[in-house]
Coordinates of all heavy atoms in Angstrom, one line a residue:
M1 N -19.2 -64.9 -52.2 CA -17.8 -65.1 -52.7 C -17.1 -65.9 -51.6 O -17.1 -65.5 -50.4 CB -17.2 -63.7 -53.0 CG -15.8 -63.8 -53.5 SD -15.1 -62.2 -53.8 CE -16.2 -61.5 -55.1
D2 N -16.3 -66.9 -52.0 CA -15.6 -67.7 -51.0 C -14.3 -66.9 -50.6 O -13.7 -66.2 -51.3 CB -15.2 -69.0 -51.7 CG -16.3 -69.9 -51.9 OD1 -17.3 -69.7 -51.1 OD2 -16.3 -70.8 -52.7
I3 N -13.9 -67.3 -49.4 CA -12.6 -66.8 -48.9 C -11.5 -67.8 -49.3 O -11.6 -69.0 -49.1 CB -12.6 -66.7 -47.3 CG1 -13.7 -65.7 -46.9 CG2 -11.3 -66.3 -46.8 CD1 -13.5 -64.3 -47.4
D4 N -10.5 -67.3 -50.0 CA -9.4 -68.2 -50.4 C -8.4 -68.4 -49.3 O -8.4 -67.8 -48.2 CB -8.7 -67.6 -51.7 CG -8.1 -66.2 -51.5 OD1 -7.8 -65.9 -50.4 OD2 -8.0 -65.5 -52.5
Q5 N -7.5 -69.3 -49.6 CA -6.5 -69.7 -48.5 C -5.6 -68.5 -48.1 O -5.3 -68.4 -46.9 CB -5.6 -70.8 -49.0 CG -4.7 -71.4 -48.0 CD -5.4 -72.0 -46.8 OE1 -6.4 -72.7 -47.0 NE2 -5.0 -71.7 -45.6
E6 N -5.3 -67.7 -49.0 CA -4.5 -66.5 -48.7 C -5.2 -65.6 -47.6 O -4.6 -65.2 -46.7 CB -4.1 -65.7 -49.9 CG -3.3 -64.5 -49.6 CD -3.0 -63.6 -50.8 OE1 -3.2 -64.1 -52.0 OE2 -2.5 -62.5 -50.7
D7 N -6.5 -65.4 -47.9 CA -7.3 -64.6 -46.9 C -7.4 -65.3 -45.6 O -7.3 -64.7 -44.5 CB -8.7 -64.4 -47.4 CG -8.7 -63.4 -48.6 OD1 -7.9 -62.5 -48.6 OD2 -9.6 -63.5 -49.4
S8 N -7.5 -66.6 -45.6 CA -7.6 -67.4 -44.3 C -6.3 -67.3 -43.6 O -6.3 -67.3 -42.3 CB -8.0 -68.8 -44.6 OG -9.2 -68.9 -45.2
D9 N -5.2 -67.3 -44.3 CA -3.9 -67.2 -43.6 C -3.7 -65.8 -43.0 O -3.0 -65.7 -42.0 CB -2.8 -67.5 -44.5 CG -2.8 -69.0 -45.0 OD1 -3.4 -69.8 -44.3 OD2 -2.1 -69.3 -46.0
I10 N -4.3 -64.8 -43.5 CA -4.1 -63.4 -43.1 C -4.8 -63.2 -41.7 O -4.2 -62.5 -40.8 CB -4.6 -62.4 -44.1 CG1 -3.7 -62.4 -45.3 CG2 -4.7 -61.0 -43.5 CD1 -4.3 -61.6 -46.5
I11 N -5.9 -63.7 -41.6 CA -6.7 -63.4 -40.4 C -7.4 -64.7 -39.8 O -7.9 -65.4 -40.6 CB -7.8 -62.3 -40.7 CG1 -8.4 -61.7 -39.4 CG2 -8.8 -62.8 -41.7 CD1 -9.1 -60.4 -39.7
A12 N -7.2 -64.9 -38.6 CA -7.8 -66.1 -38.0 C -8.7 -65.7 -36.8 O -8.5 -64.7 -36.2 CB -6.7 -67.0 -37.5
S13 N -9.7 -66.5 -36.5 CA -10.6 -66.2 -35.5 C -10.4 -67.1 -34.3 O -10.1 -68.3 -34.4 CB -12.1 -66.4 -35.9 OG -13.0 -66.3 -34.9
C14 N -10.5 -66.5 -33.1 CA -10.4 -67.4 -31.9 C -11.3 -66.7 -30.8 O -11.4 -65.4 -30.8 CB -9.0 -67.6 -31.4 SG -8.2 -66.2 -30.8
D15 N -11.9 -67.4 -30.0 CA -12.7 -66.9 -28.9 C -11.7 -66.5 -27.8 O -11.0 -67.4 -27.3 CB -13.7 -67.9 -28.5 CG -14.5 -67.4 -27.3 OD1 -14.9 -66.2 -27.3 OD2 -14.8 -68.2 -26.4
L16 N -11.7 -65.3 -27.4 CA -10.8 -64.9 -26.3 C -11.0 -65.5 -25.0 O -10.1 -65.7 -24.2 CB -10.8 -63.3 -26.2 CG -10.3 -62.6 -27.5 CD1 -10.4 -61.1 -27.2 CD2 -8.9 -62.9 -27.8
S17 N -12.2 -65.9 -24.7 CA -12.5 -66.6 -23.4 C -12.2 -68.1 -23.5 O -12.0 -68.7 -22.5 CB -14.0 -66.4 -23.1 OG -14.8 -67.2 -23.9
G18 N -12.1 -68.6 -24.7 CA -11.8 -70.1 -24.8 C -12.9 -71.0 -24.5 O -12.8 -72.2 -24.4
Q19 N -14.1 -70.4 -24.3 CA -15.3 -71.2 -23.8 C -16.4 -71.4 -24.9 O -17.2 -72.3 -24.8 CB -15.9 -70.6 -22.6 CG -14.9 -70.5 -21.5 CD -15.5 -69.7 -20.3 OE1 -16.7 -69.5 -20.3 NE2 -14.7 -69.4 -19.3
H20 N -16.5 -70.5 -25.9 CA -17.7 -70.5 -26.7 C -17.4 -70.8 -28.2 O -18.3 -70.6 -29.0 CB -18.3 -69.1 -26.6 CG -18.7 -68.8 -25.2 ND1 -19.6 -69.5 -24.4 CD2 -18.2 -67.8 -24.4 CE1 -19.6 -68.9 -23.2 NE2 -18.8 -67.9 -23.2
G21 N -16.3 -71.2 -28.6 CA -16.0 -71.5 -30.0 C -15.8 -70.2 -30.8 O -15.5 -69.1 -30.2
R22 N -15.8 -70.3 -32.1 CA -15.5 -69.1 -32.9 C -16.5 -68.0 -32.6 O -17.7 -68.1 -32.6 CB -15.6 -69.5 -34.4 CG -14.4 -70.4 -34.8 CD -14.5 -70.8 -36.2 NE -14.4 -69.6 -37.1 CZ -13.4 -69.4 -37.9 NH1 -12.4 -70.3 -38.0 NH2 -13.3 -68.3 -38.6
T23 N -15.9 -66.8 -32.5 CA -16.6 -65.6 -32.2 C -17.1 -65.0 -33.5 O -18.2 -64.4 -33.6 CB -15.8 -64.5 -31.5 OG1 -15.2 -65.1 -30.3 CG2 -16.6 -63.3 -31.1
W24 N -16.3 -65.0 -34.6 CA -16.6 -64.4 -35.8 C -16.0 -65.2 -37.0 O -15.2 -66.1 -36.8 CB -16.2 -63.0 -35.9 CG -14.8 -62.8 -35.5 CD1 -14.3 -62.5 -34.2 CD2 -13.6 -62.8 -36.3 NE1 -12.9 -62.4 -34.2 CE2 -12.5 -62.6 -35.5 CE3 -13.4 -63.1 -37.6 CZ2 -11.2 -62.6 -36.0 CZ3 -12.1 -63.1 -38.1 CH2 -11.0 -62.8 -37.3
R25 N -16.5 -64.9 -38.2 CA -15.9 -65.6 -39.4 C -15.6 -64.5 -40.4 O -16.2 -63.4 -40.4 CB -16.8 -66.6 -39.9 CG -18.1 -66.1 -40.5 CD -19.0 -67.2 -41.0 NE -20.3 -66.8 -41.2 CZ -20.7 -66.1 -42.3 NH1 -19.8 -65.8 -43.3 NH2 -21.9 -65.6 -42.5
L26 N -14.6 -64.7 -41.2 CA -14.3 -63.8 -42.3 C -15.1 -64.1 -43.5 O -15.4 -65.2 -43.9 CB -12.8 -64.0 -42.6 CG -12.2 -63.1 -43.6 CD1 -12.2 -61.6 -43.1 CD2 -10.7 -63.5 -43.9
S27 N -15.6 -63.0 -44.1 CA -16.5 -63.1 -45.3 C -16.0 -62.1 -46.3 O -15.1 -61.3 -46.0 CB -17.9 -62.9 -44.9 OG -18.8 -63.3 -46.0
K28 N -16.5 -62.2 -47.5 CA -16.1 -61.4 -48.6 C -17.2 -61.2 -49.6 O -17.9 -62.2 -49.9 CB -14.9 -62.1 -49.3 CG -14.1 -61.3 -50.3 CD -13.0 -62.2 -50.8 CE -11.9 -61.4 -51.5 NZ -10.8 -62.3 -51.9
N29 N -17.4 -60.0 -50.2 CA -18.3 -59.8 -51.3 C -17.8 -58.7 -52.2 O -16.9 -58.0 -51.8 CB -19.7 -59.7 -50.9 CG -20.0 -58.4 -50.1 OD1 -19.4 -57.4 -50.3 ND2 -21.0 -58.5 -49.2
E30 N -18.4 -58.5 -53.3 CA -18.0 -57.5 -54.3 C -18.3 -56.1 -53.7 O -17.5 -55.1 -54.0 CB -18.7 -57.7 -55.6 CG -18.4 -58.9 -56.3 CD -16.9 -58.9 -56.8 OE1 -16.4 -57.8 -57.1 OE2 -16.3 -60.0 -56.8
T31 N -19.3 -55.9 -52.9 CA -19.7 -54.6 -52.4 C -18.7 -54.1 -51.4 O -18.3 -52.9 -51.4 CB -21.1 -54.6 -51.9 OG1 -22.0 -55.0 -52.9 CG2 -21.5 -53.2 -51.4
F32 N -18.5 -54.9 -50.3 CA -17.7 -54.5 -49.2 C -16.3 -55.0 -49.1 O -15.5 -54.6 -48.3 CB -18.4 -54.9 -47.9 CG -19.8 -54.3 -47.8 CD1 -20.9 -55.0 -47.9 CD2 -19.9 -52.9 -47.5 CE1 -22.2 -54.5 -47.8 CE2 -21.2 -52.3 -47.4 CZ -22.3 -53.1 -47.5
G33 N -15.9 -56.0 -50.0 CA -14.6 -56.6 -49.9 C -14.6 -57.6 -48.7 O -15.6 -58.3 -48.5
R34 N -13.5 -57.6 -48.0 CA -13.4 -58.6 -46.8 C -14.0 -57.9 -45.6 O -13.8 -56.7 -45.3 CB -12.0 -58.9 -46.5 CG -11.4 -59.9 -47.5 CD -10.1 -60.4 -47.0 NE -9.2 -59.3 -46.8 CZ -7.9 -59.3 -46.8 NH1 -7.3 -60.4 -47.1 NH2 -7.1 -58.3 -46.6
F35 N -14.7 -58.7 -44.8 CA -15.3 -58.2 -43.5 C -15.6 -59.4 -42.6 O -15.5 -60.5 -43.0 CB -16.6 -57.4 -43.8 CG -17.7 -58.2 -44.6 CD1 -18.7 -58.8 -43.9 CD2 -17.6 -58.3 -45.9 CE1 -19.7 -59.5 -44.6 CE2 -18.6 -59.0 -46.6 CZ -19.6 -59.6 -45.9
V36 N -15.8 -59.1 -41.3 CA -16.1 -60.1 -40.4 C -17.6 -60.1 -40.0 O -18.3 -59.1 -40.1 CB -15.3 -60.0 -39.1 CG1 -13.8 -60.2 -39.4 CG2 -15.5 -58.7 -38.4
V37 N -18.1 -61.3 -39.8 CA -19.5 -61.5 -39.4 C -19.6 -62.3 -38.1 O -18.8 -63.3 -38.0 CB -20.2 -62.3 -40.5 CG1 -21.7 -62.6 -40.2 CG2 -20.2 -61.6 -41.9
A38 N -20.5 -62.0 -37.2 CA -20.6 -62.7 -36.0 C -20.9 -64.2 -36.3 O -21.8 -64.5 -37.1 CB -21.6 -62.1 -35.1
A39 N -20.3 -65.1 -35.7 CA -20.5 -66.5 -35.9 C -21.4 -67.1 -34.8 O -21.8 -68.3 -34.8 CB -19.2 -67.3 -36.0
R40 N -21.6 -66.4 -33.8 CA -22.5 -66.8 -32.6 C -23.0 -65.5 -31.9 O -22.5 -64.4 -32.2 CB -21.7 -67.7 -31.7 CG -20.5 -67.0 -31.0 CD -20.0 -67.9 -29.9 NE -18.8 -67.3 -29.3 CZ -18.7 -66.3 -28.5 NH1 -19.8 -65.7 -28.1 NH2 -17.6 -65.9 -28.0
N41 N -23.9 -65.6 -31.0 CA -24.3 -64.5 -30.2 C -23.2 -64.0 -29.4 O -22.5 -64.8 -28.7 CB -25.5 -64.9 -29.3 CG -26.8 -65.1 -30.1 OD1 -26.9 -64.5 -31.2 ND2 -27.7 -65.9 -29.5
I42 N -23.0 -62.7 -29.4 CA -21.8 -62.1 -28.7 C -22.4 -61.3 -27.6 O -23.3 -60.4 -27.8 CB -21.0 -61.2 -29.7 CG1 -20.4 -62.1 -30.7 CG2 -19.9 -60.5 -28.9 CD1 -19.7 -61.4 -31.9
E43 N -21.9 -61.5 -26.4 CA -22.4 -60.8 -25.2 C -22.0 -59.3 -25.2 O -20.9 -59.0 -25.7 CB -21.9 -61.4 -23.9 CG -22.2 -62.9 -23.7 CD -23.7 -63.1 -23.4 OE1 -24.3 -62.2 -22.8 OE2 -24.3 -64.1 -23.9
A44 N -22.8 -58.4 -24.7 CA -22.5 -57.0 -24.6 C -21.2 -56.9 -23.8 O -21.0 -57.5 -22.7 CB -23.6 -56.2 -23.9
G45 N -20.2 -56.1 -24.3 CA -19.0 -55.9 -23.6 C -18.0 -57.0 -23.8 O -16.8 -56.9 -23.3
E46 N -18.3 -58.1 -24.5 CA -17.4 -59.2 -24.7 C -16.3 -58.8 -25.7 O -16.6 -58.2 -26.8 CB -18.1 -60.4 -25.3 CG -17.3 -61.6 -25.6 CD -18.1 -62.8 -26.1 OE1 -19.3 -62.7 -26.2 OE2 -17.5 -63.8 -26.5
A47 N -15.1 -59.0 -25.4 CA -14.0 -58.7 -26.4 C -14.0 -59.8 -27.5 O -14.0 -61.0 -27.2 CB -12.6 -58.7 -25.6
I48 N -14.0 -59.3 -28.7 CA -13.9 -60.2 -29.9 C -12.7 -60.1 -30.7 O -12.4 -60.9 -31.5 CB -15.2 -60.1 -30.7 CG1 -15.3 -58.7 -31.3 CG2 -16.4 -60.5 -30.0 CD1 -16.4 -58.5 -32.3
F49 N -12.0 -59.0 -30.5 CA -10.7 -58.8 -31.2 C -9.6 -58.3 -30.2 O -9.9 -57.6 -29.3 CB -10.8 -57.6 -32.3 CG -11.6 -57.9 -33.5 CD1 -12.8 -57.4 -33.6 CD2 -11.1 -58.8 -34.4 CE1 -13.6 -57.6 -34.7 CE2 -11.8 -59.0 -35.6 CZ -13.1 -58.5 -35.7
R50 N -8.4 -58.7 -30.4 CA -7.3 -58.2 -29.7 C -6.2 -58.2 -30.7 O -5.8 -59.2 -31.3 CB -7.0 -59.1 -28.5 CG -5.8 -58.5 -27.6 CD -5.5 -59.4 -26.4 NE -6.7 -59.4 -25.5 CZ -7.1 -60.4 -24.8 NH1 -6.5 -61.5 -24.8 NH2 -8.2 -60.3 -24.0
E51 N -5.6 -57.0 -30.8 CA -4.5 -56.9 -31.8 C -3.4 -55.9 -31.2 O -3.7 -55.1 -30.4 CB -5.0 -56.4 -33.1 CG -5.7 -55.1 -33.1 CD -6.3 -54.7 -34.5 OE1 -6.0 -55.4 -35.5 OE2 -7.0 -53.7 -34.5
K52 N -2.2 -56.1 -31.7 CA -1.1 -55.3 -31.3 C -1.0 -54.1 -32.3 O -1.3 -54.3 -33.5 CB 0.2 -56.1 -31.3 CG 0.2 -57.1 -30.2 CD 1.6 -57.9 -30.3 CE 1.6 -58.9 -29.2 NZ 2.8 -59.7 -29.2
P53 N -0.7 -52.9 -31.8 CA -0.6 -51.8 -32.7 C 0.6 -52.0 -33.6 O 1.6 -52.5 -33.3 CB -0.5 -50.6 -31.8 CG 0.1 -51.1 -30.6 CD -0.4 -52.5 -30.4
I54 N 0.5 -51.5 -34.9 CA 1.6 -51.4 -35.8 C 2.6 -50.4 -35.4 O 3.8 -50.6 -35.4 CB 1.1 -51.2 -37.2 CG1 0.2 -52.4 -37.7 CG2 2.3 -51.0 -38.2 CD1 -0.4 -52.2 -39.0
V55 N 2.0 -49.2 -35.0 CA 2.8 -48.1 -34.5 C 2.2 -47.4 -33.3 O 1.0 -47.4 -33.3 CB 3.0 -47.0 -35.6 CG1 3.7 -45.8 -35.2 CG2 3.6 -47.6 -36.9
S56 N 3.0 -47.0 -32.4 CA 2.4 -46.2 -31.2 C 3.4 -45.2 -30.9 O 4.6 -45.3 -31.1 CB 2.1 -47.1 -30.0 OG 3.3 -47.7 -29.5
G57 N 2.9 -44.1 -30.3 CA 3.8 -43.0 -29.9 C 3.0 -41.8 -29.6 O 1.7 -41.8 -29.5
P58 N 3.7 -40.7 -29.4 CA 3.0 -39.4 -29.0 C 2.1 -38.9 -30.2 O 2.4 -39.2 -31.3 CB 4.1 -38.5 -28.7 CG 5.3 -39.0 -29.4 CD 5.1 -40.5 -29.5
S59 N 1.1 -38.2 -29.8 CA 0.2 -37.6 -30.8 C 0.5 -36.2 -31.0 O 0.7 -35.4 -30.0 CB -1.3 -37.8 -30.4 OG -2.2 -37.1 -31.2
L60 N 0.4 -35.7 -32.2 CA 0.6 -34.3 -32.5 C -0.6 -33.5 -31.9 O -0.5 -32.3 -31.7 CB 0.6 -34.0 -34.0 CG 1.9 -34.6 -34.7 CD1 1.7 -34.4 -36.2 CD2 3.1 -33.9 -34.2
Y61 N -1.7 -34.1 -31.7 CA -3.0 -33.5 -31.3 C -3.2 -33.6 -29.8 O -4.2 -33.1 -29.3 CB -4.2 -34.0 -32.1 CG -3.9 -34.0 -33.5 CD1 -3.6 -35.2 -34.2 CD2 -3.9 -32.8 -34.2 CE1 -3.3 -35.1 -35.6 CE2 -3.7 -32.8 -35.6 CZ -3.4 -33.9 -36.3 OH -3.1 -33.9 -37.6
N62 N -2.3 -34.2 -29.1 CA -2.4 -34.4 -27.6 C -1.3 -33.6 -26.9 O -0.2 -33.8 -27.2 CB -2.3 -35.9 -27.3 CG -2.6 -36.2 -25.9 OD1 -2.7 -35.3 -25.0 ND2 -2.9 -37.5 -25.6
S63 N -1.7 -32.8 -26.0 CA -0.7 -31.9 -25.4 C 0.0 -32.6 -24.2 O 0.9 -32.1 -23.6 CB -1.4 -30.7 -24.8 OG -2.4 -31.0 -23.9
Y64 N -0.4 -33.9 -23.9 CA 0.3 -34.6 -22.8 C 1.5 -35.3 -23.3 O 1.6 -35.8 -24.4 CB -0.7 -35.7 -22.3 CG -1.9 -35.2 -21.6 CD1 -3.1 -35.2 -22.3 CD2 -1.9 -34.7 -20.4 CE1 -4.3 -34.7 -21.7 CE2 -3.0 -34.1 -19.7 CZ -4.2 -34.2 -20.4 OH -5.3 -33.7 -19.8
L65 N 2.6 -35.2 -22.5 CA 3.8 -35.9 -22.8 C 3.7 -37.4 -22.4 O 3.2 -37.7 -21.4 CB 4.9 -35.3 -21.9 CG 6.3 -35.8 -22.1 CD1 6.8 -35.4 -23.6 CD2 7.3 -35.1 -21.1
V66 N 4.1 -38.3 -23.3 CA 4.0 -39.7 -23.1 C 5.4 -40.3 -23.4 O 6.1 -39.9 -24.2 CB 2.9 -40.4 -23.9 CG1 1.5 -39.9 -23.6 CG2 3.2 -40.3 -25.4
C67 N 5.6 -41.5 -22.7 CA 6.8 -42.3 -22.9 C 6.7 -42.9 -24.3 O 5.6 -43.5 -24.6 CB 6.9 -43.3 -21.8 SG 8.3 -44.5 -22.1
T68 N 7.7 -42.8 -25.1 CA 7.6 -43.4 -26.5 C 7.8 -44.9 -26.5 O 7.8 -45.5 -27.6 CB 8.6 -42.7 -27.4 OG1 9.9 -42.7 -26.9 CG2 8.1 -41.2 -27.7
A69 N 8.1 -45.5 -25.3 CA 8.2 -46.9 -25.3 C 6.9 -47.6 -24.7 O 6.3 -48.4 -25.4 CB 9.4 -47.3 -24.4
C70 N 6.5 -47.1 -23.6 CA 5.3 -47.8 -22.9 C 4.0 -46.9 -23.1 O 3.0 -47.3 -22.7 CB 5.6 -48.1 -21.5 SG 5.8 -46.6 -20.4
V71 N 4.1 -45.7 -23.6 CA 3.0 -44.8 -23.8 C 2.3 -44.4 -22.5 O 1.1 -44.0 -22.6 CB 2.0 -45.3 -24.9 CG1 1.2 -44.2 -25.5 CG2 2.8 -46.0 -26.0
S72 N 3.0 -44.4 -21.4 CA 2.4 -43.9 -20.2 C 2.6 -42.4 -20.1 O 3.5 -41.8 -20.7 CB 3.1 -44.6 -18.9 OG 4.4 -44.3 -18.9
Y73 N 1.6 -41.7 -19.5 CA 1.7 -40.3 -19.3 C 2.8 -39.9 -18.4 O 3.1 -40.5 -17.4 CB 0.4 -39.7 -18.8 CG -0.8 -39.8 -19.7 CD1 -1.8 -40.7 -19.6 CD2 -0.8 -39.0 -20.9 CE1 -2.8 -40.8 -20.5 CE2 -1.8 -39.1 -21.8 CZ -2.8 -40.0 -21.6 OH -3.9 -40.0 -22.5
L74 N 3.5 -38.8 -18.8 CA 4.7 -38.3 -18.0 C 4.5 -36.9 -17.5 O 3.9 -36.0 -18.3 CB 5.9 -38.3 -18.9 CG 6.3 -39.6 -19.6 CD1 7.4 -39.3 -20.5 CD2 6.6 -40.6 -18.6
E75 N 4.9 -36.6 -16.4 CA 5.0 -35.2 -15.9 C 6.4 -34.7 -16.3 O 6.6 -33.6 -16.8 CB 4.8 -35.1 -14.4 CG 3.4 -35.2 -14.0 CD 3.2 -34.9 -12.5 OE1 3.9 -34.1 -12.0 OE2 2.3 -35.6 -11.9
H76 N 7.4 -35.5 -16.1 CA 8.8 -35.2 -16.5 C 9.4 -36.5 -17.1 O 9.2 -37.6 -16.5 CB 9.6 -34.8 -15.3 CG 9.0 -33.6 -14.6 ND1 9.1 -32.3 -15.1 CD2 8.4 -33.5 -13.5 CE1 8.4 -31.5 -14.3 NE2 8.0 -32.2 -13.3
G77 N 10.0 -36.5 -18.2 CA 10.6 -37.7 -18.8 C 12.1 -37.5 -18.9 O 12.7 -36.5 -18.5
V78 N 12.7 -38.6 -19.3 CA 14.2 -38.6 -19.6 C 14.3 -38.8 -21.1 O 13.4 -39.3 -21.8 CB 14.9 -39.6 -18.9 CG1 14.9 -39.4 -17.4 CG2 14.4 -41.0 -19.2
E79 N 15.4 -38.3 -21.7 CA 15.6 -38.5 -23.1 C 16.1 -39.8 -23.5 O 17.0 -40.3 -22.8 CB 16.5 -37.4 -23.7 CG 15.9 -36.0 -23.8 CD 16.9 -35.1 -24.6 OE1 18.0 -35.5 -25.1 OE2 16.6 -33.9 -24.6
C80 N 15.6 -40.4 -24.6 CA 16.2 -41.6 -25.1 C 17.6 -41.3 -25.6 O 17.9 -40.3 -26.2 CB 15.4 -42.2 -26.2 SG 16.1 -43.6 -27.1
R81 N 18.6 -42.2 -25.2 CA 20.0 -42.0 -25.6 C 20.2 -42.1 -27.1 O 21.1 -41.5 -27.7 CB 20.9 -43.0 -24.9 CG 20.9 -42.8 -23.4 CD 21.9 -43.9 -22.8 NE 21.3 -44.2 -21.5 CZ 21.4 -45.4 -21.0 NH1 22.0 -46.4 -21.6 NH2 20.9 -45.6 -19.8
N82 N 19.3 -42.8 -27.8 CA 19.4 -43.0 -29.2 C 18.7 -42.0 -30.1 O 19.3 -41.6 -31.1 CB 18.8 -44.4 -29.6 CG 19.6 -45.5 -29.0 OD1 20.8 -45.5 -29.0 ND2 18.9 -46.5 -28.5
C83 N 17.6 -41.5 -29.6 CA 16.8 -40.6 -30.5 C 16.4 -39.2 -29.9 O 16.0 -38.3 -30.6 CB 15.6 -41.3 -31.1 SG 14.3 -41.6 -29.8
G84 N 16.5 -39.2 -28.5 CA 16.2 -37.9 -27.9 C 14.7 -37.8 -27.5 O 14.3 -36.8 -26.9
W85 N 13.8 -38.7 -27.9 CA 12.4 -38.7 -27.6 C 12.2 -39.0 -26.1 O 13.1 -39.7 -25.5 CB 11.6 -39.6 -28.5 CG 11.5 -39.1 -29.9 CD1 12.4 -38.9 -30.8 CD2 10.2 -38.6 -30.4 NE1 11.9 -38.4 -31.9 CE2 10.5 -38.2 -31.7 CE3 8.9 -38.5 -30.0 CZ2 9.6 -37.6 -32.6 CZ3 8.0 -38.0 -30.8 CH2 8.3 -37.5 -32.1
P86 N 11.1 -38.6 -25.5 CA 10.9 -38.9 -24.1 C 10.6 -40.3 -23.7 O 10.0 -41.0 -24.5 CB 9.7 -38.0 -23.8 CG 8.9 -37.9 -25.1 CD 10.0 -37.9 -26.1
L87 N 11.2 -40.7 -22.6 CA 10.9 -42.0 -22.0 C 10.5 -41.8 -20.5 O 10.9 -40.8 -19.9 CB 12.2 -42.9 -22.0 CG 12.7 -43.3 -23.4 CD1 14.1 -44.0 -23.2 CD2 11.8 -44.2 -24.1
C88 N 9.8 -42.7 -19.9 CA 9.5 -42.6 -18.5 C 10.7 -42.8 -17.6 O 10.8 -42.2 -16.6 CB 8.4 -43.6 -18.2 SG 8.8 -45.3 -18.4
Q89 N 11.6 -43.7 -18.1 CA 12.9 -43.9 -17.4 C 13.8 -44.5 -18.4 O 13.4 -45.1 -19.4 CB 12.7 -44.9 -16.2 CG 12.0 -46.2 -16.6 CD 11.6 -47.0 -15.3 OE1 11.9 -46.6 -14.2 NE2 11.0 -48.1 -15.6
V90 N 15.1 -44.4 -18.1 CA 16.1 -44.8 -19.1 C 16.0 -46.3 -19.4 O 16.2 -46.8 -20.5 CB 17.5 -44.5 -18.6 CG1 18.6 -45.1 -19.5 CG2 17.7 -43.0 -18.5
D91 N 15.6 -47.1 -18.3 CA 15.4 -48.5 -18.5 C 14.0 -48.9 -18.5 O 13.6 -49.9 -17.9 CB 16.2 -49.3 -17.5 CG 15.8 -48.9 -16.0 OD1 15.1 -47.9 -15.9 OD2 16.2 -49.7 -15.1
C92 N 13.1 -48.2 -19.2 CA 11.7 -48.5 -19.4 C 11.5 -50.0 -19.7 O 12.2 -50.5 -20.6 CB 11.0 -47.6 -20.4 SG 9.3 -48.1 -20.8
P93 N 10.6 -50.7 -19.1 CA 10.4 -52.1 -19.3 C 10.1 -52.4 -20.8 O 10.4 -53.5 -21.3 CB 9.3 -52.5 -18.4 CG 9.3 -51.5 -17.3 CD 9.8 -50.3 -17.9
L94 N 9.5 -51.5 -21.5 CA 9.1 -51.7 -22.9 C 10.1 -51.0 -23.9 O 9.7 -50.8 -25.0 CB 7.7 -51.2 -23.1 CG 6.6 -52.0 -22.3 CD1 5.3 -51.4 -22.6 CD2 6.7 -53.5 -22.6
L95 N 11.3 -50.7 -23.4 CA 12.3 -50.0 -24.3 C 12.5 -50.7 -25.6 O 12.7 -50.0 -26.6 CB 13.6 -49.8 -23.5 CG 14.6 -48.9 -24.2 CD1 14.0 -47.5 -24.4 CD2 15.9 -48.8 -23.3
Q96 N 12.6 -52.0 -25.6 CA 12.8 -52.7 -26.9 C 11.8 -52.4 -27.9 O 12.0 -52.5 -29.1 CB 12.9 -54.2 -26.6 CG 14.2 -54.6 -25.9 CD 15.5 -54.1 -26.6 OE1 15.6 -54.3 -27.8 NE2 16.4 -53.5 -25.9
Q97 N 10.5 -52.2 -27.5 CA 9.5 -51.9 -28.5 C 9.7 -50.5 -29.1 O 9.3 -50.2 -30.2 CB 8.1 -51.9 -27.8 CG 7.7 -53.3 -27.4 CD 6.3 -53.3 -26.8 OE1 5.5 -52.4 -27.0 NE2 6.0 -54.4 -26.1
H98 N 10.4 -49.6 -28.4 CA 10.7 -48.3 -28.8 C 11.8 -48.3 -29.8 O 11.8 -47.6 -30.8 CB 11.0 -47.4 -27.7 CG 11.6 -46.1 -28.0 ND1 11.0 -45.0 -28.7 CD2 12.9 -45.6 -27.8 CE1 11.8 -44.0 -28.9 NE2 13.0 -44.3 -28.4
L99 N 12.8 -49.1 -29.5 CA 14.0 -49.1 -30.4 C 13.7 -49.8 -31.7 O 14.0 -49.6 -32.7 CB 15.1 -49.8 -29.7 CG 15.6 -49.2 -28.4 CD1 16.6 -50.1 -27.7 CD2 16.1 -47.8 -28.6

């Protein structure tokens, strides 16, 4: 089954090292839907995906306190002035991601 333009626009491949060409290609079939397939030999430990999280924050299942902006572990935090959730410091470098 061919990948249509909409699928191609959703996900693009690039080699993170910039040296070896496409790492993977997007494919599609009736059994699995959309999936990726290696387009070349991939070295053990080689990064092939890098993506930003949609959401990040403290876990209900983790007893460690974390900054809700940069997600670093905290022994003691300060409260966010807007929501009261913990921050590593009032002017955390990643505060904009939290807000």
Side-chain angles (χ1 to χ4, degrees):
M1 182 181 296
D2 290 336
I3 300 299
D4 57 27
Q5 186 61 42
E6 181 181 346
D7 289 332
S8 295
D9 291 342
I10 291 170
I11 193 165
S13 170
C14 67
D15 177 42
L16 296 177
S17 71
Q19 299 175 12
H20 304 296
R22 288 178 66 111
T23 307
W24 49 270
R25 64 182 170 79
L26 186 61
S27 193
K28 186 181 200 178
N29 69 29
E30 294 294 328
T31 305
F32 299 109
R34 287 189 304 207
F35 57 96
V36 295
V37 177
R40 62 171 174 77
N41 288 336
I42 298 171
E43 300 292 325
E46 180 181 356
I48 58 171
F49 290 106
R50 184 176 296 145
E51 60 186 350
K52 294 180 180 180
I54 295 172
V55 176
S56 64
S59 170
L60 292 174
Y61 308 104
N62 187 344
S63 60
Y64 295 103
L65 183 63
V66 296
C67 173
T68 52
C70 67
V71 197
S72 61
Y73 289 109
L74 306 173
E75 286 187 33
H76 305 285
V78 296
E79 283 189 7
C80 173
R81 293 181 214 146
N82 295 318
C83 68
W85 282 71
L87 296 172
C88 59
Q89 55 191 357
V90 174
D91 57 345
C92 174
L94 298 178
L95 187 58
Q96 289 304 312
Q97 292 183 17
H98 166 70
L99 301 174

